[in-house]
Amino acid sequence: MAQILVARKISEGFSIQFTPSYVHKNLVKTELDPNDVFALGAGARLKLTKRISLNAEYYAIANPKTYLSSKMYNPLTIGFDIETGGHVFQLFVTNSIGMIEKSYITETTGSWSKGDIRFGFNISRVFTLTKHLKSPNY
């Protein structure tokens, strides 16, 4: 898997990103399926409040018709980030099954138009391993 992330903050509350991507799979379902898949991803983030943002991401697969063992769809994800005191909660809906690039770029068999929508969430937390230096009390 290789990606080039090209991102730009357009304004204080809006950012975009373009992500040319390459995925190589050693094992494929049939010998007719490609080992190499190219895609162009695009994403956007819109801050709604200081702690909530609306996010969207879409990948256009360059060679989806070469998959003969199953119908492939371009992955589309829409979600929210909710930042709290130290956690970030991500809630999203998508037509993809997987959450890693190999899965959502090359294995999205769900279609939004057919109702193949899934709900997902992530929770992340930043941990600090060093203590903050305090000034001595004399």
Side-chain angles (χ1 to χ4, degrees), residues 1-66:
M1 171 65 205
Q3 292 182 312
I4 297 173
L5 307 176
V6 181
R8 173 99 178 154
K9 188 176 194 178
I10 303 298
S11 66
E12 193 59 35
F14 184 68
S15 303
I16 60 171
Q17 176 175 302
F18 294 99
T19 312
S21 304
Y22 165 76
V23 178
H24 175 79
K25 296 175 79 171
N26 287 333
L27 298 173
V28 291
K29 288 184 180 180
T30 71
E31 63 185 38
L32 300 173
D33 290 333
N35 293 89
D36 299 310
V37 178
F38 296 92
L40 177 61
R45 178 178 189 232
L46 175 65
K47 286 194 77 132
L48 302 175
T49 68
K50 186 177 178 181
R51 295 183 181 254
I52 298 174
S53 65
L54 174 65
N55 307 307
E57 183 177 57
Y58 178 78
Y59 276 84
I61 311 303
N63 51 342
K65 294 183 178 165
T66 58

Side-chain angles (χ1 to χ4, degrees), residues 70-73 94-95 109-118:
S70 60
K71 175 72 172 146
M72 301 304 298
Y73 292 93
T94 183
N95 63 324
T109 56
S111 169
W112 277 80
S113 63
K114 295 179 182 176
D116 297 329
I117 301 169
R118 293 161 177 86

